[in-house]
Amino acid sequence: MSKILVLGGTGFVGRSLCSRLVDRSGGADGSIVVPSRRPSRARHIQFLPTVRLAEADVHDEAQLARLVAGCDAVVNLVAILHGSAADFQRTHVDLPAKLARVCQAANVKRVVHVSALGVSDRAPSRYLRSKTAGELMLKSAKLDLTVLRPSVIFGEHDKLLNLFASLQAVFPVVPLGGAAAQFQPVWVEDVAAAIVRCLDEPATIGHTYECTGPRVYTLKELVELAGSLSGHPRPVVPLPDGLTRLQAAAMEWLPGTPLMSRDNVDSMKVPNVATGQWPGLPALGITPAALDAIAPLYLGAGQGPARLDPWRAKAGRG
Ligand SMILES: NC(=O)c1ccc[n+]([C@@H]2O[C@H](COP(=O)([O-])OP(=O)(O)OC[C@H]3O[C@@H](n4cnc5c(N)ncnc54)[C@H](OP(=O)(O)O)[C@@H]3O)[C@@H](O)[C@H]2O)c1
């Protein structure tokens, strides 16, 4: 397989995936194509050899068709965590539907779609219901499809643990909604390895895989771990349901990407853990890494992105 289109390849999972695809590309220039709305913000991808970063609006079906033409496989990583019903519909449902159409028209059969653990048409959140509908759009097309459903993903550039670590560096206490919510965090490198394994292994066609780590954590445990590993352990105070929704509603009104929305709170009503109904990472030959083994390598004092902070401060870029 030579030319791969990675939709959403500039993001957290895309960064790890593209590095692995580079290793796999055998040096063939332009063999990995990553479209982006804002390529200038994706320098981490731009300088990878054999990757071509292309400015494109993937929601425009004609542009998507041009990107897909001549590819051997497509990986879809595009997703949003927050937004209106229309945003979720457009990103999680309409985009996979367009992808299915253009792939069929171009006879590009191989698609690996990254969905999410907890998808169900009866799921409590718009995020999960729209992810469910998106899977169906691809499954109902005549494609060689593999679907991956990860729990929350951790790694050096994750949003969850890094965010809770930085909050605890600033605030003396963490009031936490959804403290009892359960997750089975999976390492980003294991998810990236799973995608590559699917691309390489035709036997994965037609299958769905749950991507989870070896241990279940509550959100409170994850926040506490982020605090203690980053050297700022703070008391974590669970909020009752009513206050949790109020906190999330207030965050939605603040400028920038909300830390937690009411839809996220709804998502957390169902445990985000492996159901066992579908095979997991071991079925792909991957032994999932433990959070306790990996997180200290990037959350620990002076580790991860924070290791450059003293130099940033020195250069006046703090
Ligand atoms: N991270 C997790 O904990 C987690 C957990 C479960 C499932 N997943 C799934 O794993 C996949 C990858 O997640 P991720 O964390 O890597 O996501 P991410 O970092 O948020 O990146 C997604 C990429 O998609 C593109 N994108 C986002 N919104 C878009 C929009 N409205 N229209 C077009 N492009 C858009 C962005 O690229 P540009 O800005 O460059 O255009 C972005 O780099 C997603 O399907 C996600 O649902 C993630």
Side-chain angles (χ1 to χ4, degrees):
M1 201 168 277
S2 51
K3 192 173 172 192
I4 314 277
L5 175 67
V6 187
L7 303 178
T10 56
F12 170 45
V13 175
R15 176 192 284 254
S16 296
L17 174 64
C18 288
S19 305
R20 279 171 188 265
L21 290 177
V22 167
D23 288 339
R24 179 183 174 277
S25 66
D29 206 23
S31 58
I32 304 150
V33 179
V34 178
S36 171
R37 296 163 298 175
R38 293 160 298 203
S40 58
R41 291 205 203 159
R43 301 221 179 275
H44 55 287
I45 296 294
Q46 193 169 16
F47 296 120
L48 284 175
T50 78
V51 172
R52 184 168 69 83
L53 189 62
E55 182 162 0
D57 174 7
V58 295
H59 301 286
D60 179 313
E61 201 158 331
Q63 290 189 44
L64 188 61
R66 281 196 291 278
L67 288 164
V68 162
C71 286
D72 297 286
V74 181
V75 178
N76 183 25
L77 299 169
V78 173
I80 54 172
L81 208 47
H82 312 285
S84 64
D87 295 332
F88 282 122
Q89 172 71 28
R90 181 167 186 259
T91 313
H92 291 169
V93 189
D94 296 347
L95 178 59
K98 288 172 194 166
L99 181 61
R101 279 197 295 273
V102 299
C103 281
Q104 287 184 121
N107 203 26
V108 174
K109 290 201 156 306
R110 189 69 179 112
V111 175
V112 177
H113 176 66
V114 179
S115 181
L117 208 58
V119 289
S120 155
D121 46 13
R122 294 183 307 281
S125 66
R126 277 182 183 150
Y127 170 80
L128 288 172
R129 288 193 301 275
S130 59
K131 286 291 244 181
T132 315
E135 275 193 20
L136 280 177
M137 290 297 166
L138 290 162
K139 282 178 174 167
S140 55
K142 288 192 175 65
L143 295 170
D144 291 344
L145 178 71
T146 306
V147 174
L148 298 178
R149 293 178 178 168
S151 182
V152 65
I153 305 173
F154 67 90
E156 182 172 351
H157 302 280
D158 70 41
K159 284 159 200 146
L160 189 80
L161 294 184
N162 279 303
L163 182 68
F164 279 116
S166 34
L167 283 178
Q168 288 175 83
V170 177
F171 296 106
V173 62
V174 185
L176 185 68
Q182 290 185 316
F183 297 93
Q184 199 167 347
V186 60
W187 189 29
V188 66
E189 293 302 328
D190 288 337
V191 176
I195 297 169
V196 174
R197 186 61 56 89
C198 292
L199 290 171
D200 285 338
E201 185 46 78
T204 61
I205 290 170
H207 292 279
T208 295
Y209 296 89
E210 296 189 328
C211 302
T212 55
R215 210 194 116 179
V216 174
Y217 293 80
T218 63
L219 183 59
K220 182 168 183 275
E221 287 172 328
L222 290 175
V223 175
E224 286 170 345
L225 192 74
S228 62
L229 288 177
S230 60
H232 305 284
R234 307 292 188 212
V236 177
V237 182
L239 293 179
D241 287 354
L243 264 184
T244 299
R245 286 196 79 73
L246 205 62
Q247 185 192 47
M251 284 176 181
E252 286 170 33
W253 285 101
L254 292 175
T257 309
L259 173 57
M260 196 184 285
S261 66
R262 281 167 291 177
D263 199 63
N264 299 153
V265 173
D266 290 338
S267 279
M268 292 194 294
K269 287 178 185 162
V270 283
N272 201 250
V273 302
T275 64
Q277 280 178 285
W278 310 96
L281 290 175
L284 294 169
I286 297 164
T287 304
L291 176 64
D292 310 40
I294 304 294
L297 303 178
Y298 65 95
L299 287 178
Q303 300 297 316
R307 72 186 181 278
L308 299 178
D309 284 352
W311 300 105
R312 284 193 192 98
K314 232 178 186 173
R317 296 182 200 163

